[in-house]
Amino acid sequence: MVHSRQSIIFRETGGLTMAGDQTELIHAGEPDPRIGGAVVPPIFQSATFEQIPGSGYHDGRYIRLSNTPTHDHLHQKLASICGTESALVSSSGMAAITSTLLTLLGSGDTVIAQDRLYGGTESFLSGEVQRWGIDVQRFDACSPGTWQDPPAGAKVVYCEVITNPTCRIGDLRAVAAWAREHGLVSVIDATFATPVLVKPAELGFDIEVHSATKSMNGHGDICAGVIAGKAKLVHEVHHCLNHLGGHLDAHACFLLHRGLRTMALRVERQCQNALAISRFLEGHEAVSLVNYAGLESHPDHHRCVELMGGRAGGVLSFDVAAGAEEAERIATSMRYMATAPSMGGVETLIIRPASSSHAAVDPQVRRAMGVPDSLVRIGCGVEDAADLVADLAAVMGERV
C-alpha cells in the first residue's frame, strides 16, 4: 500500500490528559495510520519527490529542504517532546546554533551571550560572528542584578540551560522575561538538560537548540541538531538552513527517531550515575572542585531543584588539584570510561575540555570561563554506578 505525503497523518498523544515524557517519546509524531502496518516508521531514502502543483522553492519536496516524510514525522515528535509549536532537525548541533543566529542577526546587530558557553559556540561568537559585523556583548545568567539595559541594535539573548563544562544553571525564567521585556529573541542551548529535565518553552524562551548527537540520539552513531520553538521563528530558520545546506540525512533521521524512544530511560540513569560520581569526587583529597548542580553544595542547586526536580543531567566536571598532567593521566587511564569528547550515550566518556571541546578558545578566555587545563569532564553513560566509582577510585588512588 503506497501512502503519499499528503495522506500521512501524525499521531498525537495526550489530548485532554497530558502523557508522560516516555510515552510521548514513543508515540508522539508516529504516522497514523501506520505506513504499511510498520510499527517502526520506514526510511524514505529518496532524495527527491513528485512536485506538488503550485509549490515554491522552499515547499518542493527534496531531502535538502528537510521535508521528506522521514523528516516530517521526526519534526512532529520533537515538537511534542519539547512542548513547542514547531521543530526542525539539522546536520549537527553547531548547524542548529549557527543557522539560528544567522537567521536572527545581521551586520550591525548585537547578540547578548552568556559569559560561559560550549567551546564551539564560543569560537563562533568570537570569530565569524564578529568578522561579519555582529557585536557580541556578555552577561552572567546567574546574576540578574548585574544585567543592564541592552544596547541599541541588540536582537538576541543567548544562553545554555546547563553550561558546558562548568555546569552552572542561570536564572532562566528571569533571562526569558528580561529578553521579552526588551523585545529580544531568547535562544537557549538545552543539550545538557534535554526536554526530559527542562522544557525551555515553558520558561518563556522563544527558541531552543540541541546537539541531538548527544542524549537525544544516545548511541554515539550520528551527528545531528534540533531547533524547536515558535512556529514563525522555526520557519525562518528553516529557510536559512535550506540555503546553508545543513540538512539531516534520512538514515540519520531514522537513527535519531530510534534513539529518542529511549531517551527518558537513559537520562534518568545518567543523572543517577553523575550524582554518585560527584559525591565520590566531592570528598576526594585529590579534587579541588566538583561542578555538578545535583550536589547540595553547588551554588545553583536551588535552581536545579526548582527547574529539574533535583536531577542535574549526566555531565559533571572536576578540577584536579595536582594540575593538568595529573588530570590528563586520570582521563586516559580509565577502564570503563573512554577518553573521548561528546556525552549522552550509553558509554561513559571522560576528557579534558581544554584539549577537546574548548581547545579552540583562547586560553586566557577559557580560564576566565572556569575551564582551566586541570579540569576533567565526565559524560555519564548507563553502566552501573558502583563500577564507574570503583574505576575512578582505582585510578585516582594510585597517587593520593
Side-chain angles (χ1 to χ4, degrees):
M1 182 177 183
V2 179
H3 291 247
S4 69
R5 181 167 178 260
Q6 298 98 309
S7 71
I8 296 176
I9 301 171
F10 299 99
R11 251 175 233 279
E12 296 182 358
T13 62
L16 295 177
T17 303
M18 290 300 294
D21 284 333
Q22 187 55 51
T23 301
E24 288 278 330
L25 286 163
I26 294 170
H27 295 287
E30 300 296 288
D32 188 12
R34 292 187 170 95
I35 301 169
V39 175
V40 176
I43 304 170
F44 287 81
Q45 192 65 55
S46 180
T48 189
F49 295 79
E50 292 180 343
Q51 291 297 296
I52 300 171
S55 60
Y57 173 80
H58 293 284
D59 303 316
R61 291 180 294 175
Y62 189 58
I63 192 168
R64 184 175 61 77
L65 303 181
S66 302
N67 59 6
T68 74
T70 300
H71 290 84
D72 287 348
H73 77 250
L74 183 55
H75 292 159
Q76 291 279 346
K77 183 178 290 290
L78 286 163
S80 179
I81 294 163
C82 295
T84 57
E85 295 175 0
S86 184
L88 171 69
V89 291
S90 65
S91 58
S92 69
M94 282 305 299
I97 293 167
T98 56
S99 60
T100 297
L101 291 178
L102 290 176
T103 298
L104 300 173
L105 296 164
S107 180
D109 292 340
T110 296
V111 54
I112 304 173
Q114 191 171 5
D115 56 3
R116 54 189 81 202
L117 294 169
Y118 162 61
T121 308
E122 180 62 39
S123 181
F124 178 65
L125 291 175
S126 301
E128 288 87 352
V129 161
Q130 296 189 41
R131 289 201 299 272
W132 295 333
I134 299 169
D135 186 37
V136 180
Q137 299 290 323
R138 303 291 180 167
F139 80 111
D140 182 355
C142 297
S143 303
T146 64
W147 304 347
Q148 301 176 356
D149 288 343
K155 296 292 179 64
V156 174
V157 172
Y158 185 94
C159 64
E160 296 175 354
V161 174
I162 303 173
T163 61
N164 179 2
T166 53
C167 301
R168 295 302 304 269
I169 301 173
D171 191 340
L172 301 181
R173 292 186 192 278
V175 172
W178 183 75
R180 190 163 53 250
E181 177 187 352
H182 294 284
L184 309 179
V185 177
S186 53
V187 181
I188 190 164
D189 183 337
T191 300
F192 272 26
T194 80
V196 174
L197 301 181
V198 170
K199 290 180 169 53
E202 294 179 357
L203 304 179
F205 281 88
D206 297 312
I207 294 182
E208 63 190 82
V209 292
H210 297 261
S211 172
T213 309
K214 314 301 195 298
S215 298
M216 283 187 166
N217 175 53
H219 292 79
D221 51 12
I222 66 166
C223 190
V226 170
I227 305 106
K230 295 181 177 178
K232 178 179 181 297
L233 293 174
V234 174
H235 181 72
E236 293 172 359
V237 176
H238 196 163
H239 281 203
C240 180
L241 190 71
N242 287 347
H243 290 136
L244 295 176
H247 70 280
L248 190 63
D249 173 74
H251 189 257
C253 286
F254 171 82
L255 292 175
L256 177 54
H257 175 274
R258 172 214 60 184
L260 284 168
R261 288 180 157 197
T262 59
M263 180 169 64
L265 301 174
R266 288 182 281 102
V267 168
E268 188 67 33
R269 181 60 171 258
Q270 288 159 350
C271 288
Q272 294 169 4
N273 286 351
L275 183 58
I277 291 172
S278 296
R279 284 178 171 159
F280 164 75
L281 292 170
E282 190 176 36
H284 202 292
E285 61 183 7
V287 175
S288 59
L289 175 69
V290 179
N291 297 313
Y292 188 68
L295 294 173
E296 291 80 0
S297 58
H298 191 278
D300 304 322
H301 180 68
H302 63 292
R303 294 190 182 120
C304 177
V305 172
E306 175 197 351
L307 298 173
M308 297 179 258
R311 299 176 298 170
V315 178
L316 64 118
S317 62
F318 62 99
D319 197 359
V320 178
E325 184 176 345
E326 175 66 358
E328 183 69 12
R329 185 193 71 82
I330 292 170
T332 56
S333 302
M334 295 296 164
R335 179 181 181 185
Y336 295 123
M337 304 184 193
T339 307
S342 199
M343 47 75 63
V346 295
E347 313 91 351
T348 295
L349 305 177
I350 185 169
I351 200 73
R352 281 195 312 119
S355 65
S356 57
S357 63
H358 288 65
V361 179
D362 179 88
Q364 185 174 350
V365 173
R366 174 169 48 76
R367 286 189 289 271
M369 294 167 62
V371 188
D373 293 345
S374 52
L375 192 74
V376 175
R377 189 188 78 179
I378 297 177
C380 293
V382 298
E383 302 93 339
D384 291 302
D387 292 328
L388 298 176
V389 170
D391 196 8
L392 275 169
V395 171
M396 297 177 69
E398 293 174 13
R399 296 190 180 183
V400 295

